[in-house]
Amino acid sequence: MVSFNGLKLVSSSIDLLDVRIGTVTAPAGCGKSHLIAESLSHHHCSKPVLVLTHTVAGVASLREKIKLHGVPPRSYRLATIDGWAMRLIRTFPTLSGTNSRCVEVTDPRTDYPAIRSGALRVLTSANAAKLVHATYCRLWVDEYQDCSSQQHALVKTVSSVLPTCVLGDPLQAIFGFRGEQITWDTDVIRCFPNVGELNTPWRWINSGKRELGDWLLEVRRAILMGQQMDLRAAPASVSWVPLDGSNDFDRLQAAVRTQPPHGQGNVLIIADSKNKAAQYAVASLTPGATSVETADLADLVRFASRFTLEDPTALARLCRFCQECLCGAGVDILIDRLRAITRNGSMPVSSAERAAVHFNVTRTYEAAFSFLRQFEHFPEVRAYRPDLFEACIKSLKRSNNNPSISLREASLAVRDEIRARGRLIHPRTVGSTLLLKGLEAEVSIVLNADSLSTSDLYVAMTRASQLLVVCSRSPFIPSSST
């Protein structure tokens, strides 16, 4: 074990640079990301290592850990699997045999499979294979349990050209690809033999909560053996909030306001994965909370595709978009005021009213994003979807600065920039296990744990490094209903 800026880091007996073809199995919090970063710190080849994972949040988290080890950017290329597949299609559109519109991801159900198929056609061509070999030194894929069969085929193809190591944990497989999910023993280990397993709870050792890490490893073993564990017998860093039908709303409200130990750190709130409206409601009702956005920023692209300056309802569309991103905005009151101003010739009073009138007169993208900014600064207004709001303003500015670019095209460019950079995680973030996977925070609050699958529950619980709050009807996890 070594120290870097006071933080204990994993010094593993496994070196990914020694692996030609293989798998590293690692439970959550046992140093998988640190192993990638530590191995990269020893990489001195002139070509970078291609490091792939599944989510934009995972990219952002992994990049921070790699930076912590002082790894120079030239040593690696980091992206999501699908993001890298999109890059292949853009680079080799003819070889991909795919309609280039699929990279816009207007319909994820059809576009992502098309992207993966197109990328596979590129990789199976002789010229592209040579280019991959000339560009990268080796391939490492994190969170491999979440691969679809198409993504697995992509990695297997690259592994015939580059030394490849995949890392993951079968209990954290939560994506689900409608029958296209790979199996760990049948698909993964047969192609990439196991070269080692990490089993020390470094996340919790580093945070001074070894007892929480050991308990979570016991939870993992219980789940794999089909057993249950009692939250009432958990260590002091685990808090159970019983939901018994009496005053549940107030209990949940109190839970999501849980503060980090010593008042410092981040909080992840894991809400209903299948109900985006519920996630937004939690974010809007919880002081300081923000909702994490999906990588495709579908709501931004949808707005940008429908919004035109000539539309008589353009101002109303801007107001409704504000309502999707801001709480306490008083959209209906503002719309009524604007009608009165238009009908009676009243003078605008607030800065937002003046900005709205200015937009209606000038009909420019500049006036549109100026209105959004004024709306944001209303008293008691708070952005609970700030990433979506800021991405919209960036898109409006881009179209304003370059009239040849439609707002839709601008939104797609902004989305791709965010996808490449990785999303920002705010101090109190609300999302699903899919969106928060790969992240960690001082506090994790699991709402309605009874409704989660065993894999989702395990992922949600292991996000917390210091304090775990579980809200459920039963103290036994996993519950008999999951």
Side-chain angles (χ1 to χ4, degrees):
M1 185 169 60
V2 296
S3 178
F4 186 86
N5 288 346
L7 177 67
K8 296 174 183 176
L9 303 178
V10 180
S11 182
S12 174
S13 59
I14 302 171
D15 188 342
L16 300 183
L17 295 172
D18 293 334
V19 179
R20 172 59 188 91
I21 294 289
T23 295
V24 173
T25 303
C30 287
K32 179 165 52 65
S33 297
H34 284 305
L35 174 60
I36 292 172
E38 187 178 54
S39 297
L40 279 175
S41 69
H42 304 146
H43 175 62
H44 302 297
C45 177
S46 60
K47 295 182 289 185
V49 176
L50 176 61
V51 183
L52 301 178
T53 187
H54 281 272
T55 66
V56 175
V59 167
S61 177
L62 197 51
R63 180 177 286 115
E64 288 304 310
K65 290 171 182 173
I66 292 172
K67 286 181 180 178
L68 186 65
H69 282 72
V71 178
R74 66 177 180 274
S75 294
Y76 67 97
R77 297 292 181 269
L78 177 60
T80 65
I81 298 175
D82 288 334
W84 188 66
M86 290 178 188
R87 195 177 307 165
L88 287 174
I89 289 176
R90 291 191 180 102
T91 305
F92 304 100
T94 303
L95 284 176
S96 74
T98 303
N99 187 329
S100 60
R101 297 275 293 189
C102 70
V103 299
E104 297 177 2
V105 194
T106 54
D107 185 354
R109 294 172 298 179
T110 58
D111 288 339
Y112 279 122
I115 289 166
R116 295 160 191 157
S117 295
L120 187 58
R121 282 192 288 270
V122 170
L123 289 172
T124 52
S125 66
N127 290 335
K130 292 177 182 177
L131 183 60
V132 167
H133 185 268
T135 304
Y136 306 108
C137 177
R138 56 185 63 239
L139 170 66
W140 299 339
V141 188
D142 195 14
E143 305 291 357
Y144 202 74
Q145 73 282 342
D146 286 322
C147 279
S148 69
S149 57
Q150 285 183 310
Q151 292 169 330
H152 182 51
L154 282 172
V155 175
K156 284 196 298 180
T157 301
V158 177
S159 71
S160 66
V161 179
L162 300 177
T164 299
C165 185
V166 303
L167 307 93
D169 174 14
L171 191 53
Q172 295 185 67
I174 63 172
F175 272 69
F177 289 97
R178 298 178 183 176
E180 292 296 310
Q181 192 85 19
I182 58 173
T183 59
W184 194 256
D185 292 333
T186 304
D187 297 313
V188 180
I189 300 302
R190 285 185 181 179
C191 294
F192 305 101
N194 205 8
V195 295
E197 182 169 349
L198 307 178
N199 50 26
T200 303
W202 289 109
R203 176 175 298 165
W204 299 278
I205 292 173
N206 289 337
S207 67
K209 294 291 182 179
R210 174 67 187 256
E211 75 284 356
L212 175 58
D214 288 339
W215 182 78
L216 287 168
L217 286 176
E218 286 297 320
V219 169
R220 184 177 187 273
R221 282 189 281 270
I223 290 174
L224 291 174
M225 295 176 66
Q227 300 173 349
Q228 291 182 315
M229 293 191 68
D230 191 340
L231 288 166
R232 295 169 297 186
S237 47
V238 179
S239 175
W240 175 49
V241 177
L243 303 178
D244 57 10
S246 64
N247 218 20
D248 285 356
F249 180 79
D250 289 342
R251 293 181 184 184
L252 289 169
Q253 284 288 295
V256 296
R257 287 171 167 79
T258 300
Q259 295 299 314
H262 314 298
Q264 295 181 332
N266 294 333
V267 178
L268 298 180
I269 303 172
I270 292 90
D272 188 344
S273 298
K274 299 178 182 178
N275 189 341
K276 289 296 294 183
Q279 295 174 37
Y280 299 148
V282 171
S284 64
L285 292 171
T286 305
T290 60
S291 180
V292 67
E293 299 296 329
T294 58
D296 58 11
L297 284 176
D299 288 343
L300 170 66
V301 177
R302 188 179 302 110
F303 168 80
S305 299
R306 298 173 180 174
F307 181 81
T308 61
L309 295 173
E310 300 78 17
D311 183 358
T313 66
L315 181 56
R317 287 186 182 275
L318 283 174
C319 289
R320 296 303 177 195
F321 182 80
C322 286
Q323 195 170 39
E324 291 184 26
C325 302
L326 311 175
C327 54
V331 168
D332 293 333
I333 295 174
L334 178 61
I335 290 176
D336 288 342
R337 276 283 302 149
L338 294 174
R339 287 172 180 162
I341 291 171
T342 303
R343 183 172 57 250
N344 304 325
S346 304
M347 293 297 293
V349 177
S350 70
S351 57
E353 290 172 3
R354 289 192 291 272
V357 171
H358 179 65
F359 170 76
N360 256 347
V361 171
T362 61
R363 292 304 178 107
T364 65
Y365 287 127
E366 182 178 17
F369 67 72
S370 296
F371 168 69
L372 293 182
R373 278 289 182 232
Q374 290 298 329
F375 212 138
E376 181 187 22
H377 295 142
F378 260 24
E380 299 184 4
V381 167
R382 178 178 67 84
Y384 67 93
R385 300 180 69 184
D387 297 336
L388 177 64
F389 192 76
E390 291 300 322
C392 182
I393 289 178
K394 287 181 180 179
S395 301
L396 289 166
K397 285 183 176 180
R398 182 166 296 203
S399 287
N400 182 71
N401 294 335
N402 190 344
S404 65
I405 299 177
S406 71
L407 185 59
R408 184 176 186 277
E409 291 170 333
S411 72
L412 293 172
V414 169
R415 181 200 64 185
D416 290 345
E417 289 172 2
I418 294 173
R419 190 196 299 271
R421 182 191 70 224
R423 65 167 62 92
L424 300 174
I425 299 300
H426 301 272
R428 189 172 295 266
T429 301
V430 181
S432 65
T433 49
L434 287 174
L435 295 177
L436 301 180
K437 192 174 187 300
L439 300 181
E440 63 180 89
E442 282 71 16
V443 181
S444 177
I445 303 164
V446 186
L447 305 180
N448 302 308
D450 307 275
S451 65
L452 298 180
S453 70
T454 53
S455 293
D456 280 290
L457 178 64
Y458 175 69
V459 168
M461 293 172 65
T462 52
R463 300 309 93 202
S465 64
Q466 295 186 16
L467 177 60
L468 170 64
V469 180
V470 181
C471 307
S472 63
R473 295 188 302 274
S474 168
F476 294 100
I477 55 170
S479 70
S480 56
S481 61
T482 58

